[in-house]
Amino acid sequence: MAELLKDHTTLRLGGPAREWVRATSEAELVEALSTVQGPILVLGGGSNLVVADAGFDGTVVEVATRGVRADVEGDDPTCGGAVVTVAAGESWDELVAQAVERGWLGVEALAGIPGLVGATPIQNVGAYGQEVAQTIARVRVWDRVLKGVRTFANADCGFGYRTSRFKADPERHVVLDVAFQLRQGNLGAPVQYAELARVLGVELGQRAPLTQVRAAVLDLRRSKGMVLDADDHDTWSAGSFFTNPVVAEAEVPAGAPTWPQPDGRVKVPAAWLIEQSGFHKGFGAGAVGLSTKHTLAITNRGGATTEELLALARQLRDAGEAAHGIRLVNEPVLVGCSL
């Protein structure tokens, strides 16, 4: 019986794969990538995938590699830092929990994000004022064109807002492991997100204990349905379905909140654009709808199809463009389907 993608994605959507390979070691992963003929879908935690109802007519290579190695610098644990090299198949949230426990700072605001470590540099995962580009030292990949292992330093990864060189060329690079340069201490990095600062009771730019930052982020994410819970259909999503648009000042709709960007443009909240286009939390009828906690999450209420979810996504995108002149772009990767 064919393996169904819906059993491996947080949306619980997606049809069967023609073939399935589970790689539990780097050697198995490289062998699969080197020998499998035809289309390949590299699968991590399935938290950023929208897979067609027809499934995938090729081989799914499931990344299930494990391993966390820390090279601590200096004799004083409160000084210096640690280079933490992590296999692509490790759970991201478990890594954050371990970092906080061991006093490695720089990823504490990224707690509760589903998926595996190998996916984080591809999307340049970020939340609450942090993104992995701030702590990644290097990314080691299998290059499917050159058929060999390559290592990219941070400066060579092409990191941008929710993007990287790996996302820009998705058929070429498969992440094997990621090395993070993390400072050591009891206080987290300076808080850069207003909502998080308010919950922590600190000013922007001030610091708070690592454990408190992680706990506050988890509470905030739960309040928005962004922490996976099998019993809560509000979490049956791919997280934020649309990225926050980055536009010129002149393109900002009247009244929209903005965040300045290094290139002189500003970021506009996609959730604000959706809400100002007439959609609200819980919008939708039937098997798909917006989360009752957050308008950026499109959820599977149970028994949904991928096509039903995409129809709602198109409705949101088209209404937003008509109302504000800004076209929303999907954040999840679409497999065998399109908007």
Side-chain angles (χ1 to χ4, degrees):
M1 185 175 177
E3 194 85 23
L4 297 176
L5 270 301
K6 72 176 183 179
D7 295 327
H8 298 270
T9 64
T10 55
L11 269 166
R12 273 80 166 178
L13 295 177
R18 179 161 49 82
E19 300 289 342
W20 197 282
V21 175
R22 188 170 190 267
T24 59
S25 69
E26 183 177 302
E28 290 177 353
L29 179 55
V30 169
E31 181 181 8
L33 296 170
S34 304
T35 60
V36 168
Q37 300 297 311
I40 293 177
L41 172 62
V42 179
L43 176 70
S47 61
N48 201 48
L49 284 181
V50 179
V51 182
D53 295 312
F56 182 68
D57 187 22
T59 301
V60 170
V61 177
E62 180 185 356
V63 181
T65 54
R66 297 290 184 268
V68 178
R69 185 182 75 252
D71 297 321
V72 178
E73 301 172 356
D75 298 324
D76 184 348
T78 63
C79 299
V83 177
V84 184
T85 304
V86 189
E90 287 283 347
S91 160
W92 172 256
D93 191 43
E94 290 179 11
L95 175 66
V96 174
Q98 182 178 352
V100 170
E101 181 180 345
R102 298 188 63 172
W104 300 333
L105 63 97
V107 295
E108 59 281 349
L110 302 178
I113 295 176
L116 305 183
V117 168
T120 60
I122 297 172
Q123 287 287 116
N124 186 18
V125 165
Y128 297 105
Q130 285 184 354
E131 58 185 20
V132 292
Q134 296 167 335
T135 52
I136 286 177
R138 58 183 179 273
V139 180
R140 204 164 136 270
V141 306
W142 174 259
D143 188 321
R144 294 166 67 182
V145 174
L146 298 180
K147 301 188 184 305
V149 175
R150 300 179 68 189
T151 299
F152 293 96
N154 182 296
D156 299 320
C157 291
F159 287 128
Y161 172 62
R162 299 298 179 271
T163 193
S164 68
R165 74 179 299 158
F166 315 115
K167 184 177 181 178
D169 194 359
E171 300 301 316
R172 179 164 186 171
H173 303 111
V174 177
V175 177
L176 300 176
D177 61 42
V178 184
F180 298 89
Q181 176 73 59
L182 303 174
R183 288 170 291 160
Q184 292 184 278
N186 298 318
L187 296 177
V191 177
Q192 300 296 333
Y193 198 82
E195 185 180 27
L196 179 58
R198 188 189 74 247
V199 171
L200 288 167
V202 301
E203 298 294 326
L204 278 176
Q206 290 186 336
R207 303 169 70 186
L210 284 172
T211 53
Q212 291 183 20
V213 175
R214 177 173 178 265
V217 167
L218 288 173
D219 286 345
L220 283 169
R221 291 185 67 86
R222 287 192 189 97
S223 73
K224 299 174 182 179
M226 295 293 188
V227 176
L228 293 178
D229 181 346
D231 297 323
D232 182 0
H233 285 253
D234 261 351
T235 72
W236 288 27
S237 74
S240 298
F241 197 89
F242 296 105
T243 58
N244 294 319
V246 178
V247 300
E249 283 272 12
E251 299 176 55
V252 176
T258 59
W259 297 297
Q261 299 301 293
D263 63 1
R265 297 184 298 168
V266 294
K267 187 187 298 181
V268 180
W272 185 92
L273 295 171
I274 290 170
E275 290 161 7
Q276 295 301 309
S277 301
F279 302 94
H280 54 80
K281 297 172 184 176
F283 174 86
V288 298
L290 294 183
S291 165
T292 63
K293 303 179 182 73
H294 200 290
T295 48
L296 262 188
I298 304 178
T299 66
N300 174 2
R301 294 171 173 169
T305 66
T306 300
E307 192 47 49
E308 288 173 324
L309 180 127
L310 292 173
L312 177 54
R314 293 184 192 109
Q315 184 181 1
L316 299 173
R317 179 199 63 191
D318 294 347
E321 186 171 21
H324 307 294
I326 297 175
R327 188 175 181 86
L328 294 175
V329 176
N330 54 286
E331 184 169 337
V333 176
L334 308 182
V335 178
C337 54
S338 66
L339 285 182

